Amino acid sequence: MSRREAVMRFQVHHYETVSSTNDLLKAMTGAPEFTVIVAEEQTAGRGRRSRSWHSSVGDGLYLSLLLCPRNEKARLSLLSLAAAISVAETIREIPVRGVDIKWPNDLLIHDHKVGGILIEGSSIGGQVSRVIVGIGVNLNAKSFPAELAETATSLFLESGKLIDTVLFRDNLLDRIAEWYAIWNLGENGSIIRAWESLSSYARGRMVNVTTDGGEIAGETCGLAEDGALIVRTPTGKEHRIIAGEVSRLRASV
Ligand code: BTN
């Protein structure tokens, strides 16, 4: 299937204002796989860890996509990595330089957040999952509210280029179609390798990870086969991180 044919499988529904594209898609219980909701603004955009997502009109792409994978609960973490790869590749293709991925799926440029992914799922009879992949990318924001000003950036602020939202959306859906096909084929190694090649956090980065079980500080040593982040502490013990918040540890002088 060509990239263009792949993107044609998506049914894109466009809205001016919604509370959250994820919430709207979740409420569309009969929607078929590959339904896409895009909004120009969200009044209650949500991020991971119950955070809100800045979603002012004209500032970004706010998109949710429905996928219905079968019997794949165990590999959903790899799907989340594949979504991050898709966004990073779309940004590089513009081209905007310097895009990075912080595990598992934060999109950064120069250590500032430019995009994020919120994956929410439920299963139907234990067989087919309904997975909502919510993607927010700061495209043309020229400034951010005070509480985000130190940590967020946009493609416009990084490159000086105004980004065509529809073109970005279509290119992103092309990439997602490709990586979803790779994920469906079970080519986990391709996903791991692509993610590692796009992320400065993959290896040799000193990080702190906040997990439900406490804090782990150490050096990143790549991804395990299931997408877990391997962190080696100074004692040499390797931890497999399957959930947690990664932050960069700056070397003390
Ligand atoms: C994160 O915290 O990094 C994830 C942010 C995800 C934001 C997107 S915007 C489109 C979709 N709808 C939402 O309410 N959230 C996601």
Side-chain angles (χ1 to χ4, degrees):
M1 187 186 301
S2 72
R3 289 178 68 186
R4 189 46 56 189
E5 280 166 339
V7 82
M8 294 304 285
R9 297 163 69 194
F10 294 107
Q11 285 180 27
V12 180
H13 302 264
H14 185 265
Y15 294 82
E16 278 182 11
T17 304
V18 301
S19 56
S20 151
T21 54
N22 267 36
D23 291 347
L24 182 60
L25 188 49
K26 206 178 290 174
M28 294 168 66
T29 48
E33 186 171 33
F34 305 121
T35 298
V36 176
I37 304 288
V38 181
E40 285 184 24
E41 76 173 332
Q42 299 182 116
T43 53
R46 295 186 290 107
R48 292 195 297 131
R49 300 182 172 261
S50 309
R51 295 182 185 129
S52 63
W53 185 258
H54 173 74
S55 309
S56 295
V57 62
D59 278 3
L61 176 71
Y62 317 115
L63 175 150
S64 297
L65 159 67
L66 178 65
L67 298 176
C68 302
R70 292 172 185 276
N71 291 322
E72 295 287 2
K73 255 188 184 166
R75 295 177 57 244
L76 282 185
S77 52
L78 285 162
L79 186 58
S80 133
L81 302 183
I85 295 166
S86 304
V87 179
E89 287 183 341
T90 306
I91 293 173
R92 281 164 69 118
E93 199 176 46
I94 293 173
V96 173
R97 289 161 181 258
V99 65
D100 196 5
I101 310 175
K102 181 163 74 75
W103 188 89
N105 55 23
D106 280 342
L107 282 304
L108 308 179
I109 299 183
H110 298 130
D111 277 334
H112 286 62
K113 188 143 168 171
V114 74
I117 297 168
L118 176 66
I119 296 203
E120 298 181 299
S122 58
S123 60
I124 306 166
Q127 293 287 310
V128 182
S129 303
R130 274 171 58 88
V131 178
I132 293 174
V133 182
I135 300 177
V137 185
N138 302 327
L139 299 181
N140 292 318
K142 296 182 179 61
S143 61
F144 288 91
E147 66 276 15
L148 295 176
E150 297 295 313
T151 54
T153 191
S154 71
L155 297 183
F156 173 76
L157 289 172
E158 294 297 326
S159 69
K161 296 176 194 167
L162 275 174
I163 309 299
D164 180 326
T165 309
V166 174
L167 186 62
F168 187 91
R169 179 200 78 190
D170 284 349
N171 288 342
L172 176 60
L173 291 175
D174 277 350
R175 294 287 185 181
I176 290 174
E178 287 176 1
W179 282 105
Y180 188 50
I182 290 167
W183 182 82
N184 267 321
L185 289 169
E187 294 178 9
N188 299 359
S190 302
I191 295 171
I192 301 287
R193 281 192 297 278
W195 191 95
E196 289 186 347
S197 74
L198 288 163
S199 172
S200 75
Y201 283 78
R203 290 175 193 279
R205 171 59 66 89
M206 298 305 295
V207 294
N208 187 73
V209 190
T210 307
T211 71
D212 287 345
E215 308 277 318
I216 296 167
E219 182 180 348
T220 59
C221 303
L223 300 183
E225 235 181 52
D226 60 358
L229 179 67
I230 310 292
V231 175
R232 188 169 51 225
T233 60
T235 62
K237 185 168 181 208
E238 290 195 346
H239 296 255
R240 290 176 72 261
I241 311 295
I242 52 168
E245 182 79 0
V246 174
S247 56
R248 180 180 180 161
L249 266 185
R250 292 175 203 278
S252 50
V253 279

PDB file of all heavy atoms in Angstrom, residues 99-137:
ATOM      1  N   VAL A  99      14.641  17.913  16.775  1.00  0.00           N
ATOM      2  CA  VAL A  99      13.585  17.201  17.501  1.00  0.00           C
ATOM      3  C   VAL A  99      14.162  15.987  18.229  1.00  0.00           C
ATOM      4  O   VAL A  99      15.075  15.319  17.738  1.00  0.00           O
ATOM      5  CB  VAL A  99      12.424  16.800  16.564  1.00  0.00           C
ATOM      6  CG1 VAL A  99      12.847  15.809  15.519  1.00  0.00           C
ATOM      7  CG2 VAL A  99      11.233  16.250  17.367  1.00  0.00           C
ATOM      8  N   ASP A 100      13.650  15.767  19.415  1.00  0.00           N
ATOM      9  CA  ASP A 100      14.147  14.715  20.299  1.00  0.00           C
ATOM     10  C   ASP A 100      12.921  14.037  20.926  1.00  0.00           C
ATOM     11  O   ASP A 100      11.841  14.627  20.982  1.00  0.00           O
ATOM     12  CB  ASP A 100      14.997  15.389  21.396  1.00  0.00           C
ATOM     13  CG  ASP A 100      15.876  14.423  22.161  1.00  0.00           C
ATOM     14  OD1 ASP A 100      15.928  13.222  21.806  1.00  0.00           O
ATOM     15  OD2 ASP A 100      16.524  14.876  23.132  1.00  0.00           O
ATOM     16  N   ILE A 101      13.094  12.797  21.378  1.00  0.00           N
ATOM     17  CA  ILE A 101      11.994  12.122  22.084  1.00  0.00           C
ATOM     18  C   ILE A 101      12.474  11.762  23.483  1.00  0.00           C
ATOM     19  O   ILE A 101      13.513  11.115  23.640  1.00  0.00           O
ATOM     20  CB  ILE A 101      11.540  10.820  21.388  1.00  0.00           C
ATOM     21  CG1 ILE A 101      11.278  11.035  19.898  1.00  0.00           C
ATOM     22  CG2 ILE A 101      10.286  10.268  22.067  1.00  0.00           C
ATOM     23  CD1 ILE A 101      10.938   9.738  19.146  1.00  0.00           C
ATOM     24  N   LYS A 102      11.711  12.204  24.477  1.00  0.00           N
ATOM     25  CA  LYS A 102      11.991  11.786  25.855  1.00  0.00           C
ATOM     26  C   LYS A 102      11.054  10.638  26.166  1.00  0.00           C
ATOM     27  O   LYS A 102       9.845  10.751  25.920  1.00  0.00           O
ATOM     28  CB  LYS A 102      11.769  12.960  26.815  1.00  0.00           C
ATOM     29  CG  LYS A 102      12.062  12.611  28.272  1.00  0.00           C
ATOM     30  CD  LYS A 102      12.233  13.871  29.113  1.00  0.00           C
ATOM     31  CE  LYS A 102      10.941  14.575  29.397  1.00  0.00           C
ATOM     32  NZ  LYS A 102      10.097  13.917  30.420  1.00  0.00           N
ATOM     33  N   TRP A 103      11.623   9.561  26.717  1.00  0.00           N
ATOM     34  CA  TRP A 103      10.832   8.349  26.946  1.00  0.00           C
ATOM     35  C   TRP A 103       9.611   8.646  27.791  1.00  0.00           C
ATOM     36  O   TRP A 103       9.739   9.368  28.774  1.00  0.00           O
ATOM     37  CB  TRP A 103      11.708   7.302  27.642  1.00  0.00           C
ATOM     38  CG  TRP A 103      11.055   5.959  27.745  1.00  0.00           C
ATOM     39  CD1 TRP A 103      11.109   4.945  26.838  1.00  0.00           C
ATOM     40  CD2 TRP A 103      10.252   5.487  28.830  1.00  0.00           C
ATOM     41  NE1 TRP A 103      10.369   3.883  27.283  1.00  0.00           N
ATOM     42  CE2 TRP A 103       9.827   4.181  28.504  1.00  0.00           C
ATOM     43  CE3 TRP A 103       9.814   6.040  30.045  1.00  0.00           C
ATOM     44  CZ2 TRP A 103       9.022   3.431  29.340  1.00  0.00           C
ATOM     45  CZ3 TRP A 103       9.001   5.293  30.876  1.00  0.00           C
ATOM     46  CH2 TRP A 103       8.621   4.002  30.523  1.00  0.00           C
ATOM     47  N   PRO A 104       8.446   8.098  27.436  1.00  0.00           N
ATOM     48  CA  PRO A 104       8.247   7.269  26.258  1.00  0.00           C
ATOM     49  C   PRO A 104       7.886   8.046  24.997  1.00  0.00           C
ATOM     50  O   PRO A 104       8.258   7.647  23.910  1.00  0.00           O
ATOM     51  CB  PRO A 104       7.065   6.367  26.657  1.00  0.00           C
ATOM     52  CG  PRO A 104       6.273   7.209  27.631  1.00  0.00           C
ATOM     53  CD  PRO A 104       7.274   8.081  28.354  1.00  0.00           C
ATOM     54  N   ASN A 105       7.160   9.184  25.169  1.00  0.00           N
ATOM     55  CA  ASN A 105       6.649   9.810  23.939  1.00  0.00           C
ATOM     56  C   ASN A 105       6.490  11.318  24.041  1.00  0.00           C
ATOM     57  O   ASN A 105       5.574  11.879  23.443  1.00  0.00           O
ATOM     58  CB  ASN A 105       5.335   9.141  23.495  1.00  0.00           C
ATOM     59  CG  ASN A 105       4.305   9.143  24.598  1.00  0.00           C
ATOM     60  OD1 ASN A 105       4.385   9.971  25.496  1.00  0.00           O
ATOM     61  ND2 ASN A 105       3.347   8.239  24.541  1.00  0.00           N
ATOM     62  N   ASP A 106       7.403  11.962  24.766  1.00  0.00           N
ATOM     63  CA  ASP A 106       7.395  13.431  24.788  1.00  0.00           C
ATOM     64  C   ASP A 106       8.258  13.926  23.636  1.00  0.00           C
ATOM     65  O   ASP A 106       9.412  13.505  23.494  1.00  0.00           O
ATOM     66  CB  ASP A 106       8.020  13.960  26.091  1.00  0.00           C
ATOM     67  CG  ASP A 106       7.058  13.907  27.252  1.00  0.00           C
ATOM     68  OD1 ASP A 106       5.846  13.797  27.015  1.00  0.00           O
ATOM     69  OD2 ASP A 106       7.533  13.963  28.393  1.00  0.00           O
ATOM     70  N   LEU A 107       7.718  14.843  22.859  1.00  0.00           N
ATOM     71  CA  LEU A 107       8.487  15.422  21.756  1.00  0.00           C
ATOM     72  C   LEU A 107       9.109  16.724  22.236  1.00  0.00           C
ATOM     73  O   LEU A 107       8.381  17.601  22.744  1.00  0.00           O
ATOM     74  CB  LEU A 107       7.578  15.702  20.555  1.00  0.00           C
ATOM     75  CG  LEU A 107       7.166  14.521  19.657  1.00  0.00           C
ATOM     76  CD1 LEU A 107       8.397  13.787  19.107  1.00  0.00           C
ATOM     77  CD2 LEU A 107       6.255  13.552  20.353  1.00  0.00           C
ATOM     78  N   LEU A 108      10.410  16.829  22.106  1.00  0.00           N
ATOM     79  CA  LEU A 108      11.128  18.006  22.603  1.00  0.00           C
ATOM     80  C   LEU A 108      11.946  18.632  21.487  1.00  0.00           C
ATOM     81  O   LEU A 108      12.373  17.938  20.545  1.00  0.00           O
ATOM     82  CB  LEU A 108      12.119  17.602  23.714  1.00  0.00           C
ATOM     83  CG  LEU A 108      11.628  16.783  24.893  1.00  0.00           C
ATOM     84  CD1 LEU A 108      12.812  16.491  25.838  1.00  0.00           C
ATOM     85  CD2 LEU A 108      10.536  17.515  25.649  1.00  0.00           C
ATOM     86  N   ILE A 109      12.172  19.919  21.605  1.00  0.00           N
ATOM     87  CA  ILE A 109      13.213  20.582  20.817  1.00  0.00           C
ATOM     88  C   ILE A 109      13.980  21.453  21.805  1.00  0.00           C
ATOM     89  O   ILE A 109      13.382  22.243  22.552  1.00  0.00           O
ATOM     90  CB  ILE A 109      12.637  21.440  19.666  1.00  0.00           C
ATOM     91  CG1 ILE A 109      11.851  20.556  18.688  1.00  0.00           C
ATOM     92  CG2 ILE A 109      13.769  22.149  18.933  1.00  0.00           C
ATOM     93  CD1 ILE A 109      11.291  21.289  17.472  1.00  0.00           C
ATOM     94  N   HIS A 110      15.298  21.284  21.827  1.00  0.00           N
ATOM     95  CA  HIS A 110      16.156  22.001  22.774  1.00  0.00           C
ATOM     96  C   HIS A 110      15.610  21.894  24.194  1.00  0.00           C
ATOM     97  O   HIS A 110      15.520  22.908  24.913  1.00  0.00           O
ATOM     98  CB  HIS A 110      16.308  23.479  22.368  1.00  0.00           C
ATOM     99  CG  HIS A 110      16.949  23.627  21.029  1.00  0.00           C
ATOM    100  ND1 HIS A 110      16.441  24.418  20.028  1.00  0.00           N
ATOM    101  CD2 HIS A 110      18.039  23.041  20.496  1.00  0.00           C
ATOM    102  CE1 HIS A 110      17.194  24.328  18.955  1.00  0.00           C
ATOM    103  NE2 HIS A 110      18.180  23.484  19.215  1.00  0.00           N
ATOM    104  N   ASP A 111      15.212  20.670  24.547  1.00  0.00           N
ATOM    105  CA  ASP A 111      14.734  20.372  25.906  1.00  0.00           C
ATOM    106  C   ASP A 111      13.409  21.048  26.254  1.00  0.00           C
ATOM    107  O   ASP A 111      13.008  21.055  27.423  1.00  0.00           O
ATOM    108  CB  ASP A 111      15.773  20.748  26.977  1.00  0.00           C
ATOM    109  CG  ASP A 111      16.786  19.638  27.130  1.00  0.00           C
ATOM    110  OD1 ASP A 111      16.445  18.487  26.836  1.00  0.00           O
ATOM    111  OD2 ASP A 111      17.932  19.937  27.537  1.00  0.00           O
ATOM    112  N   HIS A 112      12.733  21.624  25.286  1.00  0.00           N
ATOM    113  CA  HIS A 112      11.416  22.226  25.524  1.00  0.00           C
ATOM    114  C   HIS A 112      10.362  21.374  24.826  1.00  0.00           C
ATOM    115  O   HIS A 112      10.582  20.888  23.717  1.00  0.00           O
ATOM    116  CB  HIS A 112      11.363  23.659  24.991  1.00  0.00           C
ATOM    117  CG  HIS A 112      12.121  24.624  25.845  1.00  0.00           C
ATOM    118  ND1 HIS A 112      13.483  24.525  26.048  1.00  0.00           N
ATOM    119  CD2 HIS A 112      11.708  25.699  26.571  1.00  0.00           C
ATOM    120  CE1 HIS A 112      13.870  25.492  26.856  1.00  0.00           C
ATOM    121  NE2 HIS A 112      12.805  26.223  27.185  1.00  0.00           N
ATOM    122  N   LYS A 113       9.215  21.260  25.473  1.00  0.00           N
ATOM    123  CA  LYS A 113       8.195  20.351  24.944  1.00  0.00           C
ATOM    124  C   LYS A 113       7.473  20.967  23.742  1.00  0.00           C
ATOM    125  O   LYS A 113       6.912  22.065  23.823  1.00  0.00           O
ATOM    126  CB  LYS A 113       7.196  20.019  26.054  1.00  0.00           C
ATOM    127  CG  LYS A 113       6.237  18.937  25.641  1.00  0.00           C
ATOM    128  CD  LYS A 113       5.909  18.022  26.786  1.00  0.00           C
ATOM    129  CE  LYS A 113       4.733  17.135  26.452  1.00  0.00           C
ATOM    130  NZ  LYS A 113       4.495  16.097  27.416  1.00  0.00           N
ATOM    131  N   VAL A 114       7.463  20.211  22.641  1.00  0.00           N
ATOM    132  CA  VAL A 114       6.794  20.686  21.423  1.00  0.00           C
ATOM    133  C   VAL A 114       5.584  19.817  21.087  1.00  0.00           C
ATOM    134  O   VAL A 114       4.721  20.236  20.313  1.00  0.00           O
ATOM    135  CB  VAL A 114       7.811  20.771  20.260  1.00  0.00           C
ATOM    136  CG1 VAL A 114       8.180  19.394  19.734  1.00  0.00           C
ATOM    137  CG2 VAL A 114       7.297  21.642  19.123  1.00  0.00           C
ATOM    138  N   GLY A 115       5.521  18.623  21.676  1.00  0.00           N
ATOM    139  CA  GLY A 115       4.387  17.751  21.381  1.00  0.00           C
ATOM    140  C   GLY A 115       4.283  16.647  22.414  1.00  0.00           C
ATOM    141  O   GLY A 115       5.244  16.334  23.125  1.00  0.00           O
ATOM    142  N   GLY A 116       3.082  16.082  22.487  1.00  0.00           N
ATOM    143  CA  GLY A 116       2.876  14.996  23.444  1.00  0.00           C
ATOM    144  C   GLY A 116       1.782  14.061  22.964  1.00  0.00           C
ATOM    145  O   GLY A 116       1.002  14.405  22.068  1.00  0.00           O
ATOM    146  N   ILE A 117       1.763  12.892  23.562  1.00  0.00           N
ATOM    147  CA  ILE A 117       0.839  11.839  23.129  1.00  0.00           C
ATOM    148  C   ILE A 117       0.143  11.261  24.349  1.00  0.00           C
ATOM    149  O   ILE A 117       0.794  10.920  25.344  1.00  0.00           O
ATOM    150  CB  ILE A 117       1.623  10.741  22.368  1.00  0.00           C
ATOM    151  CG1 ILE A 117       2.240  11.359  21.103  1.00  0.00           C
ATOM    152  CG2 ILE A 117       0.712   9.561  22.015  1.00  0.00           C
ATOM    153  CD1 ILE A 117       3.251  10.489  20.406  1.00  0.00           C
ATOM    154  N   LEU A 118      -1.175  11.185  24.246  1.00  0.00           N
ATOM    155  CA  LEU A 118      -1.971  10.603  25.331  1.00  0.00           C
ATOM    156  C   LEU A 118      -2.726   9.416  24.758  1.00  0.00           C
ATOM    157  O   LEU A 118      -3.645   9.588  23.960  1.00  0.00           O
ATOM    158  CB  LEU A 118      -2.960  11.656  25.858  1.00  0.00           C
ATOM    159  CG  LEU A 118      -3.944  11.203  26.918  1.00  0.00           C
ATOM    160  CD1 LEU A 118      -3.220  10.845  28.223  1.00  0.00           C
ATOM    161  CD2 LEU A 118      -4.983  12.303  27.192  1.00  0.00           C
ATOM    162  N   ILE A 119      -2.317   8.207  25.171  1.00  0.00           N
ATOM    163  CA  ILE A 119      -2.970   7.001  24.656  1.00  0.00           C
ATOM    164  C   ILE A 119      -3.928   6.479  25.714  1.00  0.00           C
ATOM    165  O   ILE A 119      -3.542   6.286  26.873  1.00  0.00           O
ATOM    166  CB  ILE A 119      -1.917   5.934  24.286  1.00  0.00           C
ATOM    167  CG1 ILE A 119      -1.060   6.485  23.143  1.00  0.00           C
ATOM    168  CG2 ILE A 119      -2.582   4.617  23.915  1.00  0.00           C
ATOM    169  CD1 ILE A 119      -0.373   5.459  22.299  1.00  0.00           C
ATOM    170  N   GLU A 120      -5.171   6.272  25.304  1.00  0.00           N
ATOM    171  CA  GLU A 120      -6.175   5.764  26.233  1.00  0.00           C
ATOM    172  C   GLU A 120      -6.854   4.574  25.575  1.00  0.00           C
ATOM    173  O   GLU A 120      -7.198   4.628  24.393  1.00  0.00           O
ATOM    174  CB  GLU A 120      -7.186   6.859  26.558  1.00  0.00           C
ATOM    175  CG  GLU A 120      -6.516   8.045  27.232  1.00  0.00           C
ATOM    176  CD  GLU A 120      -7.469   9.159  27.603  1.00  0.00           C
ATOM    177  OE1 GLU A 120      -8.105   9.723  26.696  1.00  0.00           O
ATOM    178  OE2 GLU A 120      -7.566   9.460  28.797  1.00  0.00           O
ATOM    179  N   GLY A 121      -7.043   3.498  26.322  1.00  0.00           N
ATOM    180  CA  GLY A 121      -7.591   2.293  25.703  1.00  0.00           C
ATOM    181  C   GLY A 121      -8.636   1.613  26.537  1.00  0.00           C
ATOM    182  O   GLY A 121      -8.737   1.816  27.746  1.00  0.00           O
ATOM    183  N   SER A 122      -9.433   0.804  25.857  1.00  0.00           N
ATOM    184  CA  SER A 122     -10.374  -0.074  26.546  1.00  0.00           C
ATOM    185  C   SER A 122     -10.491  -1.315  25.686  1.00  0.00           C
ATOM    186  O   SER A 122     -10.200  -1.272  24.491  1.00  0.00           O
ATOM    187  CB  SER A 122     -11.738   0.598  26.680  1.00  0.00           C
ATOM    188  OG  SER A 122     -12.224   0.930  25.404  1.00  0.00           O
ATOM    189  N   SER A 123     -10.894  -2.431  26.281  1.00  0.00           N
ATOM    190  CA  SER A 123     -11.007  -3.630  25.451  1.00  0.00           C
ATOM    191  C   SER A 123     -12.472  -4.012  25.280  1.00  0.00           C
ATOM    192  O   SER A 123     -13.323  -3.702  26.120  1.00  0.00           O
ATOM    193  CB  SER A 123     -10.200  -4.785  26.034  1.00  0.00           C
ATOM    194  OG  SER A 123     -10.681  -5.082  27.304  1.00  0.00           O
ATOM    195  N   ILE A 124     -12.748  -4.650  24.158  1.00  0.00           N
ATOM    196  CA  ILE A 124     -14.115  -5.080  23.863  1.00  0.00           C
ATOM    197  C   ILE A 124     -14.090  -6.607  23.929  1.00  0.00           C
ATOM    198  O   ILE A 124     -13.464  -7.244  23.095  1.00  0.00           O
ATOM    199  CB  ILE A 124     -14.544  -4.642  22.451  1.00  0.00           C
ATOM    200  CG1 ILE A 124     -14.350  -3.126  22.267  1.00  0.00           C
ATOM    201  CG2 ILE A 124     -15.985  -5.036  22.178  1.00  0.00           C
ATOM    202  CD1 ILE A 124     -14.432  -2.678  20.829  1.00  0.00           C
ATOM    203  N   GLY A 125     -14.712  -7.172  24.917  1.00  0.00           N
ATOM    204  CA  GLY A 125     -14.762  -8.622  25.051  1.00  0.00           C
ATOM    205  C   GLY A 125     -13.378  -9.258  25.151  1.00  0.00           C
ATOM    206  O   GLY A 125     -13.188 -10.412  24.810  1.00  0.00           O
ATOM    207  N   GLY A 126     -12.393  -8.482  25.603  1.00  0.00           N
ATOM    208  CA  GLY A 126     -11.050  -9.029  25.800  1.00  0.00           C
ATOM    209  C   GLY A 126     -10.305  -9.323  24.510  1.00  0.00           C
ATOM    210  O   GLY A 126      -9.162  -9.755  24.538  1.00  0.00           O
ATOM    211  N   GLN A 127     -10.903  -9.098  23.377  1.00  0.00           N
ATOM    212  CA  GLN A 127     -10.279  -9.448  22.093  1.00  0.00           C
ATOM    213  C   GLN A 127      -9.732  -8.209  21.374  1.00  0.00           C
ATOM    214  O   GLN A 127      -8.544  -8.089  21.145  1.00  0.00           O
ATOM    215  CB  GLN A 127     -11.311 -10.131  21.176  1.00  0.00           C
ATOM    216  CG  GLN A 127     -11.749 -11.483  21.674  1.00  0.00           C
ATOM    217  CD  GLN A 127     -10.666 -12.527  21.487  1.00  0.00           C
ATOM    218  OE1 GLN A 127     -10.126 -12.653  20.414  1.00  0.00           O
ATOM    219  NE2 GLN A 127     -10.349 -13.252  22.540  1.00  0.00           N
ATOM    220  N   VAL A 128     -10.671  -7.326  21.051  1.00  0.00           N
ATOM    221  CA  VAL A 128     -10.285  -6.138  20.288  1.00  0.00           C
ATOM    222  C   VAL A 128     -10.205  -4.963  21.244  1.00  0.00           C
ATOM    223  O   VAL A 128     -11.095  -4.744  22.057  1.00  0.00           O
ATOM    224  CB  VAL A 128     -11.329  -5.818  19.200  1.00  0.00           C
ATOM    225  CG1 VAL A 128     -10.900  -4.610  18.385  1.00  0.00           C
ATOM    226  CG2 VAL A 128     -11.553  -7.022  18.318  1.00  0.00           C
ATOM    227  N   SER A 129      -9.136  -4.197  21.131  1.00  0.00           N
ATOM    228  CA  SER A 129      -9.036  -3.014  21.962  1.00  0.00           C
ATOM    229  C   SER A 129      -9.483  -1.807  21.155  1.00  0.00           C
ATOM    230  O   SER A 129      -9.360  -1.793  19.939  1.00  0.00           O
ATOM    231  CB  SER A 129      -7.583  -2.789  22.376  1.00  0.00           C
ATOM    232  OG  SER A 129      -7.095  -3.912  23.041  1.00  0.00           O
ATOM    233  N   ARG A 130     -10.037  -0.846  21.844  1.00  0.00           N
ATOM    234  CA  ARG A 130     -10.258   0.467  21.226  1.00  0.00           C
ATOM    235  C   ARG A 130      -9.198   1.367  21.820  1.00  0.00           C
ATOM    236  O   ARG A 130      -9.228   1.674  23.007  1.00  0.00           O
ATOM    237  CB  ARG A 130     -11.643   1.004  21.603  1.00  0.00           C
ATOM    238  CG  ARG A 130     -12.776   0.546  20.703  1.00  0.00           C
ATOM    239  CD  ARG A 130     -14.115   0.946  21.296  1.00  0.00           C
ATOM    240  NE  ARG A 130     -14.245   2.391  21.522  1.00  0.00           N
ATOM    241  CZ  ARG A 130     -14.699   3.245  20.590  1.00  0.00           C
ATOM    242  NH1 ARG A 130     -15.059   2.818  19.413  1.00  0.00           N
ATOM    243  NH2 ARG A 130     -14.795   4.531  20.867  1.00  0.00           N
ATOM    244  N   VAL A 131      -8.265   1.740  20.992  1.00  0.00           N
ATOM    245  CA  VAL A 131      -7.159   2.547  21.476  1.00  0.00           C
ATOM    246  C   VAL A 131      -7.278   3.941  20.871  1.00  0.00           C
ATOM    247  O   VAL A 131      -7.338   4.084  19.647  1.00  0.00           O
ATOM    248  CB  VAL A 131      -5.806   1.915  21.077  1.00  0.00           C
ATOM    249  CG1 VAL A 131      -4.658   2.792  21.551  1.00  0.00           C
ATOM    250  CG2 VAL A 131      -5.683   0.513  21.652  1.00  0.00           C
ATOM    251  N   ILE A 132      -7.341   4.934  21.737  1.00  0.00           N
ATOM    252  CA  ILE A 132      -7.406   6.313  21.250  1.00  0.00           C
ATOM    253  C   ILE A 132      -6.023   6.930  21.405  1.00  0.00           C
ATOM    254  O   ILE A 132      -5.472   6.988  22.507  1.00  0.00           O
ATOM    255  CB  ILE A 132      -8.462   7.121  22.025  1.00  0.00           C
ATOM    256  CG1 ILE A 132      -9.848   6.540  21.683  1.00  0.00           C
ATOM    257  CG2 ILE A 132      -8.387   8.605  21.670  1.00  0.00           C
ATOM    258  CD1 ILE A 132     -10.982   7.114  22.472  1.00  0.00           C
ATOM    259  N   VAL A 133      -5.477   7.323  20.270  1.00  0.00           N
ATOM    260  CA  VAL A 133      -4.147   7.941  20.258  1.00  0.00           C
ATOM    261  C   VAL A 133      -4.361   9.446  20.113  1.00  0.00           C
ATOM    262  O   VAL A 133      -4.752   9.922  19.048  1.00  0.00           O
ATOM    263  CB  VAL A 133      -3.299   7.405  19.085  1.00  0.00           C
ATOM    264  CG1 VAL A 133      -1.901   8.014  19.119  1.00  0.00           C
ATOM    265  CG2 VAL A 133      -3.230   5.886  19.118  1.00  0.00           C
ATOM    266  N   GLY A 134      -4.162  10.166  21.198  1.00  0.00           N
ATOM    267  CA  GLY A 134      -4.339  11.626  21.184  1.00  0.00           C
ATOM    268  C   GLY A 134      -2.991  12.293  21.015  1.00  0.00           C
ATOM    269  O   GLY A 134      -2.051  12.002  21.761  1.00  0.00           O
ATOM    270  N   ILE A 135      -2.907  13.169  20.030  1.00  0.00           N
ATOM    271  CA  ILE A 135      -1.617  13.808  19.726  1.00  0.00           C
ATOM    272  C   ILE A 135      -1.798  15.322  19.718  1.00  0.00           C
ATOM    273  O   ILE A 135      -2.690  15.858  19.058  1.00  0.00           O
ATOM    274  CB  ILE A 135      -1.091  13.349  18.348  1.00  0.00           C
ATOM    275  CG1 ILE A 135      -0.887  11.831  18.351  1.00  0.00           C
ATOM    276  CG2 ILE A 135       0.215  14.069  18.000  1.00  0.00           C
ATOM    277  CD1 ILE A 135      -0.436  11.256  17.021  1.00  0.00           C
ATOM    278  N   GLY A 136      -0.951  15.989  20.457  1.00  0.00           N
ATOM    279  CA  GLY A 136      -0.926  17.455  20.440  1.00  0.00           C
ATOM    280  C   GLY A 136       0.453  17.910  20.008  1.00  0.00           C
ATOM    281  O   GLY A 136       1.454  17.428  20.535  1.00  0.00           O
ATOM    282  N   VAL A 137       0.501  18.813  19.030  1.00  0.00           N
ATOM    283  CA  VAL A 137       1.796  19.368  18.599  1.00  0.00           C
ATOM    284  C   VAL A 137       1.664  20.888  18.546  1.00  0.00           C
ATOM    285  O   VAL A 137       0.717  21.415  17.941  1.00  0.00           O
ATOM    286  CB  VAL A 137       2.227  18.835  17.200  1.00  0.00           C
ATOM    287  CG1 VAL A 137       3.626  19.339  16.862  1.00  0.00           C
ATOM    288  CG2 VAL A 137       2.186  17.310  17.141  1.00  0.00           C
TER     289      VAL A 137
END
